Amino acid sequence: MEKVSLIVLDPGHFHAALLQKSMFPGVDSIVHVFAPKGNEVDAYLAFIQQYNSRAELPTKWHEEVYLGDDFLKKMVTEKPGNLVVIAGNNRKKTRYIHEAVSAGLNVLSDKPMVINATDFELLKEAFSKASKSNALLYDMMTSRYEITNILEKELSQDKLLFGELVKGTEDDPAVSKQSTHYFFKSVSGKPLVRPAWYFDTDQNGEGIVDITTHLVDLVQWECFPENILEYKKDIAMLSAKRWATKISEPQFKMVTQKDSFPSYLQKDIKDDTLNVYANGEMNYTIKGIHTRVSVTWDFQAPEGTGDSYFSTMRGTKANISIRQGKEQAYLPT
């Protein structure tokens, strides 16, 4: 492509806006937005306006917006750009991806691309279509660009320093990655308002397929760089578990700005408390290496802290750890 021209499709997650926090060489400043009317696209546009009007290094995005119930049909018919950005309701995401690549458009999707087994088949079909039409279909694996992850990867490939990855066991894995996140937090200096569907695992996916995607990707990227992995033969799932984060109605109102729990969440409410299955742990082997990934969600971080990440890779000569606790001033180190 001589120039990347963005199409933002139904932006329901703040990651869609964060992609435009800076300007990039080779990316057109005109962005085409297709979405239904509502608070979610309004929140996305408010972020873009904030970036455009900030005092330091303001962006210069020009948003051409189409709002209507036929937004998806309108996008694939008109195709005013060449790269579709998809970050929103995960239940809709796989179909959006399929429609975009079927129209010959390139796709940059937020994780996860899929949240259930049925749509996994549709996603495989989308990758097949993209390959045949030479369209690019990628997810936003932004954790690869965190400097501590880059260093961990580089150090683990140094045989004189690190040696080889040990095999480990299920109880004592060779690779362990743990991430903690919070529903209520600030983004770009403002309290984040999350859509109500974010708390519905039927729409957002369970924790075991959401943030966990980053951790699984980091394991593969760091341990087996430049390797093409075959999930049916290279991965062996050993055990998995999930558990709920309990959200009170006042907390729900605080983070969503909604008056009450919507009807689709009633299935998850017990004793006036919402049970969100946002937490998950998986133990598996990848090419014989024992691995554990774990994601935990709480409502709000303790004062002075935020989302955190811990990682350990065990080698025959050394161990490498990323820590982000009090001793590290809550910075990844």
Side-chain angles (χ1 to χ4, degrees):
M1 292 180 285
E2 289 187 5
K3 197 163 195 175
V4 174
S5 178
L6 298 177
I7 300 172
V8 176
L9 179 62
D10 192 9
H13 195 288
F14 68 91
H15 286 174
L18 285 184
L19 190 71
Q20 295 174 240
K21 197 171 183 179
S22 302
M23 305 293 291
F24 303 98
V27 178
D28 198 327
S29 61
I30 298 175
V31 178
H32 306 273
V33 182
F34 294 85
K37 295 179 181 178
N39 294 334
E40 293 173 23
V41 68
D42 290 345
Y44 157 78
L45 293 172
F47 270 122
I48 302 305
Q49 177 58 33
Q50 180 184 341
Y51 300 150
N52 280 347
S53 59
R54 67 191 176 206
E56 186 176 350
L57 296 175
T59 53
K60 298 178 181 179
W61 300 111
H62 175 71
E63 306 280 306
E64 295 192 351
V65 183
Y66 176 83
L67 301 179
D69 293 338
D70 61 342
F71 66 94
L72 182 57
K73 181 179 180 181
K74 189 86 169 174
M75 183 206 75
V76 298
T77 301
E78 296 187 358
K79 293 189 284 191
N82 52 28
L83 177 61
V84 183
V85 176
I86 302 175
N89 188 308
N90 292 327
R91 184 166 62 185
K92 304 174 183 177
K93 190 179 291 177
T94 314
R95 183 170 70 91
Y96 287 169
I97 291 171
H98 190 274
E99 291 288 331
V101 297
S102 296
L105 292 164
N106 304 289
V107 172
L108 186 60
S109 171
D110 191 20
K111 53 78 203 147
M113 286 186 175
V114 61
I115 62 171
N116 57 54
T118 301
D119 283 345
F120 182 59
E121 298 304 315
L122 186 64
L123 182 63
K124 288 197 293 185
E125 186 178 313
F127 270 102
S128 178
K129 284 178 176 287
S131 178
K132 291 174 182 176
S133 64
N134 290 321
L136 297 176
L137 174 49
Y138 277 87
D139 49 12
M140 301 182 204
M141 289 294 95
T142 52
S143 293
R144 294 185 181 192
Y145 300 92
E146 161 59 45
I147 186 59
T148 49
N149 292 331
I150 294 171
L151 290 170
E152 185 177 48
K153 175 175 179 281
E154 293 299 317
L155 292 170
S156 70
Q157 297 302 309
D158 187 331
K159 305 303 180 187
L160 290 175
L161 172 71
F162 183 70
E164 305 282 347
L165 275 168
V166 301
K167 295 291 184 182
T169 65
E170 185 173 352
D171 292 332
D172 189 17
V175 182
S176 178
K177 296 185 180 293
Q178 177 183 345
S179 184
T180 302
H181 287 255
Y182 300 93
F183 287 114
F184 184 78
K185 62 182 180 181
S186 292
V187 173
S188 296
K190 293 184 177 180
L192 178 65
V193 177
R194 295 189 186 272
W197 58 257
Y198 197 83
F199 296 84
D200 181 14
T201 53
D202 289 341
Q203 299 184 67
N204 195 46
E206 299 209 12
I208 210 163
V209 296
D210 186 16
I211 298 296
T212 319
T213 307
H214 279 306
L215 307 187
V216 169
D217 176 69
L218 286 173
V219 171
Q220 298 173 179
W221 179 67
E222 293 178 8
C223 298
F224 302 99
E226 310 305 322
N227 278 250
I228 295 174
L229 296 165
E230 300 287 344
Y231 71 92
K232 289 185 177 179
K233 67 177 184 179
D234 292 332
I235 307 294
M237 186 63 65
L238 304 177
S239 63
K241 62 181 179 179
R242 36 94 93 164
W243 62 98
T245 299
K246 297 184 180 299
I247 303 293
S248 68
E249 190 167 20
Q251 288 175 327
F252 181 81
K253 292 178 180 179
M254 180 178 173
V255 73
T256 65
Q257 303 296 301
K258 300 293 184 183
D259 294 332
S260 60
F261 292 127
S263 58
Y264 56 75
L265 288 178
Q266 293 302 315
K267 66 185 187 306
D268 300 318
I269 295 173
K270 185 177 181 180
D271 298 327
D272 298 322
T273 300
L274 178 65
N275 292 273
V276 186
Y277 282 92
N279 312 290
E281 177 185 287
M282 295 189 292
N283 292 280
Y284 61 97
T285 60
I286 175 169
K287 286 187 174 291
I289 302 297
H290 282 269
T291 302
R292 176 182 297 153
V293 295
S294 178
V295 171
T296 303
W297 281 80
D298 207 340
F299 180 71
Q300 187 173 3
E303 187 68 29
T305 70
D307 293 349
S308 61
Y309 172 63
F310 296 85
S311 173
T312 298
M313 298 178 70
R314 297 169 53 221
T316 53
K317 295 184 178 180
N319 296 339
I320 305 170
S321 293
I322 297 173
R323 298 174 183 171
Q324 196 178 347
K326 184 177 180 180
E327 298 81 2
Q328 293 80 38
Y330 303 107
L331 298 173
T333 305

